[in-house]
Amino acid sequence: MLIYLVYLVIGLLGIGLIIFLHELGHFAAARLMKVDVDVLSYGMGPRLFSIYGRNTEYRLSLIPFGGYCRMKGSLDLMKALKDDAKSMDRTEAGSYFGTTPLVRFFIYLSGPLMNFILAVLLLTAVAALPVDRLSDPAVITPVSSYYALFQSDIRQINVEKGDRIIALSGHTVLDWQDAEDYIKTHSGEIIPAIIERNGVILHTELIPTETEDGYAYGITNLQEAVIGRSLSDDFLPGDRIVEADGKAVEYTIDVYSIEKDSFQITIDRDGELLARDITGGILPFAWQSALRKSSESNHPFSYGVRRTFEMAGAAMKALGAFITLHFEDALTVITGPVKAAESIGGITALAFSESSLSGIRAFFMLMAMVSISISVGNTLPIPTFDGGQMLINIVEMINHRELSPRTYVILQIAGMILALLIMVMMYSLDIKAYFFS
């Protein structure tokens, strides 16, 4: 229970920080547009203490979850309602209602925009931070050499089994994983390659083949069939598989080419040959790979932008499924806030147990996901949400007329009811996860 509470607190603090930065976006835009902010609070609930600026109370509140930005204008609204005014012609200096619809649109857009920019920065940091990555020699083979395994007609005529990639388009290849990353980022291009074949250096090209899913180059890695770790006492790290189902084995791909679920293999352990049985088609071990420190991408910022748009697209798709009541599709992505916070804390703690860099990287990745979710969720056209406020401003600009104070308040009340219903639905996911799963 204590561990669960620690995970939950870590997650809630992280989500709360992202929400506060969202409100900070509104604050910065309001001040830029000469709109006074009465209160900028980190946290919700009762005030713990405040620092007073010239026009703003900077507040720390009791519940460290999120925050809020209260702009000047509440007195104008109350006065207009009391007078049953059709518009807010007379407003205080620095009031939100004393601005134009375009200015108000920008102020509300700034929150989701802040979250989007924050996600880009977090994912850029994720791409730039070095982590341990698997590293295997860039020894390759055409997939056509293993047709029974790949069932592919794609051919790479410039490559032979056992070739080692040295460079691609002038980029020195560190290992197979590096080569694979380079090929992915240059998909569809003819890639000049320097390879080593039987001790001879050759200059050639990797030719892409267009497929239904994009482009393929018809090559794969040849990894030596050496065991790295195992859950079974029958296999030890360093064991080399030399035969499988009566056929000689040099690479891991030779083992995967066996079409039977159960067969016998022979391992070489310090010169001693030992027979072992594989049953059920499952290998009870992992292959041996080296590790090297590497960042996610050689272009961290472009990676951050691309991944942010990908995450935003996924969030919009899930939100659309949720709104249209396609819950099965939505629930593959959406979870309740409590479960989300617990997962964030647990994953972050697990990553920190491996290394500080892994922990920071995991936390940044999760916070980017939260930031995108808040950005997309706030664009819903509900009056109390940023999207609803922006929609009101757009309608006002089109009609060249602002909403009456009474209509504005009615919309806000309706928005609060809808927001409450959404909150109930979200927390119902937590109830289902903890009590009915």
Side-chain angles (χ1 to χ4, degrees), residues 157-203:
I157 60 174
N158 294 328
V159 169
E160 295 182 5
K161 181 178 179 180
D163 287 351
R164 183 170 68 89
I165 301 176
I166 297 175
L168 296 172
S169 300
H171 167 75
T172 300
V173 171
L174 301 175
D175 49 33
W176 165 249
Q177 286 75 12
D178 184 33
E180 193 174 32
D181 289 344
Y182 188 90
I183 291 171
K184 285 180 180 178
T185 57
H186 294 78
S187 181
E189 301 176 13
I190 296 176
I191 304 175
I194 300 176
I195 63 174
E196 179 187 352
R197 180 180 298 163
N198 300 322
V200 178
I201 302 299
L202 301 174
H203 291 260

Side-chain angles (χ1 to χ4, degrees), residues 88-284:
M88 296 188 196
D89 296 328
R90 298 178 182 180
T91 56
E92 298 179 281
S95 171
Y96 167 81
F97 293 106
T99 62
T100 65
L102 181 60
V103 168
R104 295 198 286 269
F105 177 88
F106 175 73
I107 290 173
Y108 278 102
L109 173 65
S110 62
L113 185 61
M114 170 68 87
N115 282 126
F116 192 90
I117 293 172
L118 178 62
V120 170
L121 295 177
L122 287 169
L123 290 170
T124 297
V126 165
L129 287 171
V131 293
D132 286 329
R133 301 185 70 190
L134 296 178
S135 177
D136 298 299
V139 180
I140 60 173
T141 182
V143 296
S144 56
S145 298
Y146 291 87
Y147 181 82
L149 177 62
F150 293 101
Q151 296 292 308
S152 173
D153 294 324
I154 297 172
R155 294 185 176 275
Q156 188 58 250
I157 60 174
N158 294 328
V159 169
E160 295 182 5
K161 181 178 179 180
D163 287 351
R164 183 170 68 89
I165 301 176
I166 297 175
L168 296 172
S169 300
H171 167 75
T172 300
V173 171
L174 301 175
D175 49 33
W176 165 249
Q177 286 75 12
D178 184 33
E180 193 174 32
D181 289 344
Y182 188 90
I183 291 171
K184 285 180 180 178
T185 57
H186 294 78
S187 181
E189 301 176 13
I190 296 176
I191 304 175
I194 300 176
I195 63 174
E196 179 187 352
R197 180 180 298 163
N198 300 322
V200 178
I201 302 299
L202 301 174
H203 291 260
T204 186
E205 293 177 330
L206 299 183
I207 311 296
T209 298
E210 190 170 4
T211 68
E212 293 180 357
D213 300 321
Y215 291 90
Y217 286 80
I219 60 175
T220 191
N221 184 223
L222 289 179
Q223 182 183 10
E224 292 189 356
V226 179
I227 295 171
R229 62 184 185 277
S230 172
L231 299 176
S232 170
D233 294 335
D234 290 336
F235 302 95
L236 298 179
D239 287 350
R240 179 183 292 273
I241 298 178
V242 295
E243 189 176 278
D245 195 35
K247 300 174 184 177
V249 169
E250 186 176 5
Y251 302 106
T252 60
I253 200 169
D254 297 321
V255 179
Y256 292 126
S257 297
I258 305 299
E259 297 180 356
K260 301 176 182 177
D261 288 339
S262 300
F263 53 92
Q264 189 176 76
I265 65 173
T266 301
I267 61 174
D268 181 344
R269 180 180 296 167
D270 299 326
E272 182 182 4
L273 298 181
L274 303 171
R276 296 289 186 265
D277 292 323
I278 300 295
T279 58
I282 299 175
L283 301 178

Side-chain angles (χ1 to χ4, degrees), residues 13 44 53 233 325 342 372 379 382 393:
L13 288 175
M44 307 293 287
D233 294 335
L325 305 182
E342 180 203 348
I372 284 296
T379 59
I382 296 174
N393 300 143

